[in-house]
Every structure is written in C-alpha cells, then in structure tokens.
Amino acid sequence: MKKFFLSTTVMAIFACLLWATPFTAIKIGLKYTTPLQFAGLRFFISGILILPFIKDLKYKILESKKRWKFVLWVALLQTTLLYGLFYTGISYVPGALGAMLIGAQPLFAAIMAHFMLNNDKMSWQKIMAIILGMTGVCIISLGRSDFVLSTTIPLGVGILILNNIVGSTGNVIVSRDAKNMPPRVLASFSMIIGGACLLLISIPVESPPWHFNFPAEYFISLGWLAMVSAFAITIWFGLLQRPGVKVSNLNTWKFIIPIFGAFLSWSILPGEHPDALSIGGMIVIACSLLLVNYFNRRAINNSSTSQTKTILTKS
C-alpha cells in the first residue's frame, strides 16, 4: 500500500491537486498587496517552512555551496522568472484565456524536453495525447463567463507563453542536472532565493506597502499558498529526479489541474455549478491521460521484450 501511495502517478496527482487550490487564495491576497510582493513573500515563506524537515541542515548547506550556480539557476527559473511572469501575465488577460495558456504547459514541456534531453523525444502518439489534453482545457475555459477581449491581451499572451517556456526549461534542468541533490534542499533553497529576488524586484517596480495592517483573510491565504508551494514543489522536484521519469510524460498530469479547480469551485463558491462544456472538457482530458499512460506502458513492455530477446540471443 505504501508503494502505491508513493508511486509516481499518485504523487503527481497529489501535487496537481495542491496546485489547483491556490487561485481563490491568490485573488484574496492581491486585494491587499501587489503581485510581485505577494509572490515573493509566498515563496520565501515556503522555503523557510521546508528547512526544519531537512536532515543534517548544516552539512546540506555546505554541500549546496559547491553547486551554488545550479541552485541559483533553478531559483531564478522556477521561482523568480516563472512566478514573476505568471502573476504579471495573468493580470493582462481574462481568467479563461489565462487558464488555457497555462494549461498548454505540457506541450511546451514536451518541446523543451525534445530539444534538451536525449531520452525524451516527441512522438506522434505523445503529440496527439497532448493536443487532446489541451483541447479539454480549452473547452473548460471557454465555458467560463469571463472570456472577453481587451487591448492588453496580446501582451498578456506573450508573457504567459514566455512563462510556459521558462517553467518547462526549469523542469528539464532539474530532471537533467539535479543528480543527487535532495528535493527538499533544492526546493527550500531555490524558493528562499527566488522569493527574496521577487521581493527586491517589487520595490522599484511596484512600490508595495510594507505595513501589513491587513485582515486575517490575507494572512490565511498567504499561509495556505506557502504550504501548498512547500509540499507541491518538493514533490515535483523529487519526481523529476526519479529514474525513468520523463519530463514530457510527468507534465501531462498538469492537465488535471483545471478539473480539480472546477470541482473546488463547484463545491466552495456560491453560484458555481457544473455545465455541459466543463463536463465535456473533463472527459476529453481524461481520454488524453489514458492515452499517455497506455503509450507509456506499451513502451515499457516493448523495451522489456527487446531486452529479454537480447539476453536470450547472447546466451
């Protein structure tokens, strides 16, 4: 049973479930402060929260100093640039369009992995499954009432596409170069550094308030976001470092984030209820995930069969 719950599939689904919860909390937090400051505080606190769970912390800090360039690179890509672009871009586009663009991340992850990794190449089966998943995300998003056009949309689209490229590149770098660095160490140090950079950038760019005389809902939302990031990013970094896990396949699980998000909205928000478009989009996404898993299992079985034949031939 423990092996089942720690499997790549279950852990990926759990991380995506966590990532589906922040949208309401972000809206609450941004009522009282600026995007970059809020994001910076969120990730700085997330990194701090992980520190008590790192064994032999002093030793790990000394070891990490030897790879400080890699940690800094991950911090800038996976925290500072990724969430700086996300918080900025999402403010220029309608929520529905933003959801579609963010939902396209598995496609960008597959493209970046194809060019940056030798063992994660695109195939027509993978392309078909990803396009099917993106179609499901679009169907769900188009059913939302906030899909309207504005003059700021081209800028927002460009920023969110760049956000997808940055996030996908970061995933590939962690998978390829993290080696034996513990996921908690990498997640903690990169979020502390990345969050601090966001806070510093927010000072000249946003001139945010620093008094923090805010109501309880602000601190509750900030605390929840920090905990979500601490858990989800640590899990994701761990999965990216697992032998045999491909960046493109792992990222297809992110297609279920809008599904979880829709269910949470229907359960929590007044006036939100299921509709035909959302249900249809969820079915399409489910089909894409089934296809990905089918092709993965077939590839593994074919690989095992070919290895067995090679062994028999040599013997």
Side-chain angles (χ1 to χ4, degrees):
M1 185 62 71
K2 183 179 179 181
K3 186 178 180 181
F4 169 77
F5 284 112
L6 294 178
S7 67
T8 299
T9 298
V10 173
M11 296 298 286
I13 291 173
F14 180 62
C16 291
L17 174 60
L18 290 173
W19 271 322
T21 64
F23 296 103
T24 302
I26 290 173
K27 289 181 180 179
I28 292 171
L30 291 180
K31 290 193 299 183
Y32 304 102
T33 187
T34 56
L36 294 181
Q37 185 201 51
F38 192 55
L41 285 170
R42 169 189 176 180
F43 291 104
F44 187 82
I45 295 171
S46 293
I48 297 295
L49 288 174
I50 300 172
L51 288 177
F53 300 97
I54 299 175
K55 294 180 180 179
D56 302 319
L57 180 58
K58 290 183 179 180
Y59 172 75
K60 296 292 174 54
I61 291 173
L62 292 173
E63 286 293 304
S64 298
K65 284 182 178 179
K66 298 176 183 177
R67 304 187 64 191
W68 67 269
K69 290 183 180 179
F70 171 69
V71 175
L72 179 61
W73 189 227
V74 172
L76 293 175
L77 280 176
Q78 289 293 91
T79 303
T80 306
L81 283 174
L82 179 65
Y83 286 94
L85 291 168
F86 171 77
Y87 276 80
T88 304
I90 209 74
S91 64
Y92 287 111
V93 297
L97 181 57
M100 281 193 285
L101 290 167
I102 297 301
Q105 189 180 5
L107 174 61
F108 287 88
I111 292 171
M112 298 308 295
H114 177 81
F115 288 107
M116 296 177 68
L117 298 172
N118 293 324
N119 64 341
D120 198 352
K121 299 301 181 183
M122 296 278 276
S123 64
W124 71 266
Q125 297 100 327
K126 191 179 293 184
I127 293 170
M128 182 175 66
I130 290 172
I131 291 175
L132 191 61
M134 287 179 59
T135 303
V137 173
C138 290
I139 291 171
I140 294 174
S141 301
L142 288 170
R144 292 171 53 168
S145 59
D146 59 351
F147 193 85
V148 294
L149 297 176
S150 70
T151 56
T152 60
I153 281 181
L155 176 61
V157 168
I159 291 173
L160 290 177
I161 288 175
L162 183 58
N163 168 82
N164 281 341
I165 294 172
V166 167
S168 300
T169 303
N171 270 222
V172 172
I173 288 173
V174 171
S175 175
R176 185 188 65 191
D177 301 332
K179 296 178 181 176
N180 296 322
M181 180 169 281
R184 292 178 191 173
V185 174
L186 182 58
S188 177
F189 294 176
S190 64
M191 284 195 285
I192 290 172
I193 295 169
C197 289
L198 282 170
L199 287 172
L200 291 174
I201 294 169
S202 74
I203 295 172
V205 173
E206 298 176 331
S207 300
W210 293 97
H211 55 77
F212 297 109
N213 295 323
F214 303 133
E217 66 172 1
Y218 168 84
F219 296 101
I220 293 171
S221 65
L222 179 62
W224 174 252
L225 289 168
M227 286 192 293
V228 164
S229 297
F231 278 104
I233 292 176
T234 301
I235 291 170
W236 204 255
F237 281 1
L239 295 177
L240 286 169
Q241 295 179 50
R242 286 187 175 183
V245 172
K246 294 185 176 181
V247 174
S248 57
N249 293 339
L250 182 63
N251 274 269
T252 55
W253 287 108
K254 290 183 178 179
F255 282 136
I256 63 177
I257 293 176
I259 294 180
F260 287 147
F263 275 114
L264 287 171
S265 297
W266 297 336
S267 303
I268 298 171
L269 299 178
E272 294 279 348
H273 51 81
D275 56 81
L277 274 177
S278 297
I279 300 298
M282 290 177 184
I283 293 171
V284 173
I285 290 173
C287 290
S288 76
L289 293 173
L290 288 172
L291 272 177
V292 169
N293 281 280
Y294 168 73
F295 291 137
N296 288 345
R297 289 180 182 277
R298 193 172 71 174
I300 292 169
N301 291 335
N302 290 342
S303 176
S304 300
T305 302
S306 62
Q307 288 177 4
T308 302
K309 287 181 179 179
T310 303
I311 293 169
L312 291 173
T313 302
K314 289 181 178 180
S315 60

